[in-house]
Amino acid sequence: MMNEVWKTFDTMLYKVNKVNGKTVYTPYFPSKLAKLDGTRVELQGYMVPLRAGLRHNRFLLSVLPVQQCMFCGQNGIPPMVEVTLSDNNKVWLKENPVIVKGYVKLNEKDRSRVEIFIRDAALIKQ
């Protein structure tokens, strides 16, 4: 499942700063990753819902199925991106890998969301 796009996404780092006495983690996108911003990519992965329900317009896409992730909570979290389907389309939650195609958006500022999005996406393999 790991391909060049996933490997590039996995290069994201965090800069650690102190702001008003609090530790703040700011995403840092190395040049190879920064070059993907705005480009169209195709990515295979497992759907991870962001809310309860069977049909979703927005979800996380993971390189590993969550139930198989032996590293979660121990050695880090596998690469994940947030996917938003185009035209408010909703798809049924799948247990098997799916393929999405959409545009990369790097998120440096909205701390309530993930750092890498695939926007205006379409599910091309269910």
Side-chain angles (χ1 to χ4, degrees):
M1 195 96 30
M2 186 65 92
N3 63 15
E4 285 307 310
V5 175
W6 276 120
K7 287 177 186 175
T8 303
F9 287 165
D10 201 28
T11 65
M12 190 198 76
L13 301 169
Y14 291 95
K15 289 184 179 178
V16 182
N17 298 303
K18 291 282 188 184
V19 177
N20 298 327
K22 294 183 179 180
T23 302
V24 177
Y25 296 90
T26 306
Y28 168 72
F29 305 109
S31 62
K32 185 176 179 181
L33 176 53
K35 288 177 185 175
L36 286 180
D37 195 29
T39 64
R40 193 168 188 201
V41 297
E42 188 174 298
L43 202 57
Q44 184 174 19
Y46 293 89
M47 293 175 72
V48 179
L50 290 167
R51 61 174 181 72
L54 294 175
R55 291 175 43 93
H56 300 271
N57 172 264
R58 193 168 63 99
F59 52 89
L60 294 177
L61 192 70
S62 172
V63 74
L64 290 174
V66 172
Q67 64 271 28
Q68 183 181 332
C69 179
M70 62 188 235
F71 300 108
C72 289
Q74 295 176 18
N75 293 330
I77 299 170
M80 289 191 203
V81 296
E82 183 178 315
V83 175
T84 303
L85 299 176
S86 63
D87 299 327
N88 208 25
N89 289 329
K90 289 188 176 183
V91 296
W92 290 95
L93 182 63
K94 307 288 182 199
E95 289 184 13
N96 295 326
V98 298
I99 298 175
V100 299
K101 187 181 272 190
Y103 295 91
V104 175
K105 172 67 178 146
L106 301 179
N107 173 26
E108 296 180 74
K109 298 186 179 172
D110 187 351
R111 300 176 62 77
S112 67
R113 300 187 63 193
V114 300
E115 294 82 1
I116 303 172
F117 301 105
I118 304 296
R119 61 179 176 75
D120 298 324
L123 210 62
I124 60 172
K125 178 189 171 229
Q126 300 186 34

